[in-house]
């Protein structure tokens, strides 16, 4: 998976400055909030009935807040700040709830795995932040991630859904979930090349959120496509210079 980049030291220094910049955090948040407000996504609501009473859940506002928290967590992780893993861990259940309401029935089983994975990453980073080269564990984590994803999503779509199994939606949900499981497990070991796996994940999630009409998340993943590139370059250079 390793990509050989021939970049000048001056260019790498500039890229690393952008990666670790607080201004990029603000730009990411601005993109999400602006896109959501401009397209009136904040007005999205979810109506439901409980105990014979009708309720309205302001899904748009909650989703924008969730996306902003996810954005902050991702940017902090890119800068190797473990607080980002803590935010991501706490935000997992909110993300899962929104995905479930938007039609991802598999979220009820897959997001608890994401919560445990992010918590393990948080604990791992407290012990060590040593950047590693690709090894057997890297590929094992990816395979494990896909096995968990396809198994859990099949159980959810088959036995928890009130409708027939939608093959297209099943794969549209299972593939990104498999990537995020493998990517999360590998984040604990801090592989620079893991950013390339996250890049594939970002692309599949962008497609998924466009299909679900989740505008806030779509804008977020467009930003993540850029962030994964500079994250890879930064971590790769840091690995080469670590003692």
């Amino acid at each position: 998976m390793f990509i050989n980049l021939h970049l000048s030291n001056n260019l790498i220094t500039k890229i690393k400055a952008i990666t670790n910049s607080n201004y990029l955090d603000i730009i990411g948040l601005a993109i999400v909030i602006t896109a959501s407000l401009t397209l009136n996504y904040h007005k999205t609501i979810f109506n439901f009935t409980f105990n014979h009473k009708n309720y309205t859940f302001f899904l748009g506002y909650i989703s924008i807040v969730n996306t902003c928290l996810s954005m902050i967590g991702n940017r902090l992780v890119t800068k190797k700040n473990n607080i980002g893993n803590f935010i991501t861990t706490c935000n997992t259940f909110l993300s899962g709830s929104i995905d479930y309401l938007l039609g991802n029935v598999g979220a009820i089983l897959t997001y608890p795995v994401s919560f445990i994975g992010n918590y393990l990453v948080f604990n791992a980073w407290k012990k060590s932040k040593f950047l590693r080269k690709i090894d057997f564990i890297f590929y094992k984590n990816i395979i494990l991630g896909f096995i968990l994803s396809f198994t859990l999503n099949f159980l959810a779509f088959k036995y928890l859904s009130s409708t027939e199994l939608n093959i297209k939606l099943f794969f549209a949900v299972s593939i990104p979930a498999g990537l995020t499981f493998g990517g999360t497990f590998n984040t604990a070991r801090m592989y620079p090349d893991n950013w390339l796996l996250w890049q594939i994940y970002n692309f599949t999630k962008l497609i998924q959120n466009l299909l679900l009409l989740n505008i806030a998340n779509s804008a977020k993943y467009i930003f993540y496509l850029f962030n994964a590139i500079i994250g890879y370059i930064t971590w790769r250079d840091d690995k080469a210079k670590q003692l």
Side-chain angles (χ1 to χ4, degrees):
M1 185 173 287
F2 178 77
I3 295 179
N4 188 20
L5 297 177
H6 297 285
L7 303 176
S8 67
N9 290 332
N10 184 49
L11 180 57
I12 291 177
T13 298
K14 291 180 179 179
I15 291 175
K16 292 177 71 172
I18 295 174
T19 301
N20 296 304
S21 170
N22 292 329
Y23 293 109
L24 191 59
D25 305 351
I26 298 173
I27 292 173
L29 290 173
I31 290 174
V32 170
I33 294 174
T34 301
S36 300
L37 296 179
T38 300
L39 297 173
N40 291 320
Y41 183 69
H42 61 290
K43 296 180 180 179
T44 303
I45 60 175
F46 179 81
N47 297 313
F48 64 98
T49 301
F50 182 73
N51 284 340
H52 306 293
K53 292 184 179 180
N54 296 322
Y55 295 91
T56 297
F57 179 68
F58 294 95
L59 182 62
Y61 286 105
I62 300 300
S63 184
I64 293 173
V65 171
N66 169 70
T67 302
C68 289
L69 290 174
S70 178
M71 175 75 70
I72 293 172
N74 182 273
R75 283 291 302 140
L76 289 173
V77 168
T78 307
K79 294 186 281 188
K80 304 188 195 69
N81 188 328
N82 201 22
I83 295 177
N85 289 314
F86 178 77
I87 293 175
T88 302
T89 302
C90 296
N91 199 43
T92 301
F93 283 119
L94 181 57
S95 298
S97 299
I98 293 173
D99 263 16
Y100 181 80
L101 292 177
L102 289 172
N104 179 7
V105 67
I108 197 170
L109 294 180
T110 57
Y111 271 87
V113 175
S114 294
F115 175 83
I116 295 173
N118 286 315
Y119 178 74
L120 293 176
V121 173
F122 174 69
N123 276 338
W125 280 33
K126 287 196 298 183
K127 299 175 182 177
S128 173
K129 289 186 179 180
F130 184 79
L131 295 165
R132 294 176 170 86
K133 64 179 181 180
I134 288 182
D135 53 17
F136 173 75
I137 297 177
F138 179 87
Y139 295 106
K140 184 185 71 174
N141 285 339
I142 295 175
I143 294 173
L144 176 61
F146 274 100
I147 291 175
L148 282 172
S149 175
F150 276 89
T151 300
L152 295 176
N153 276 299
F154 176 78
L155 292 174
F157 276 81
K158 185 70 174 179
Y159 300 106
L160 299 181
S161 177
S162 58
T163 60
E164 293 185 5
L165 179 63
N166 186 324
I167 297 298
K168 291 183 179 180
L169 182 59
F170 171 75
F171 279 99
V173 170
S174 298
I175 292 176
L179 290 170
T180 192
F181 287 164
T184 299
F185 300 154
N186 282 331
T187 297
R189 292 177 59 80
M190 300 190 75
Y191 300 101
D193 293 273
N194 196 42
W195 284 107
L196 303 179
L197 183 65
W198 282 124
Q199 191 71 305
I200 299 174
Y201 167 78
N202 293 332
F203 182 72
T204 59
K205 287 295 289 185
L206 174 61
I207 294 176
Q208 181 191 89
N209 280 279
L210 288 173
L211 292 174
L212 294 173
L213 299 180
N214 190 333
I215 306 303
N217 266 349
S218 296
K220 179 184 73 174
Y221 284 108
I222 290 174
F223 176 82
Y224 281 1
L225 288 170
F226 167 76
N227 189 69
I229 295 174
I230 62 174
Y232 169 69
I233 295 173
T234 298
W235 282 34
R236 179 171 172 263
D237 186 68
D238 288 344
K239 176 182 173 297
K241 294 179 179 178
Q242 74 182 0
L243 298 178

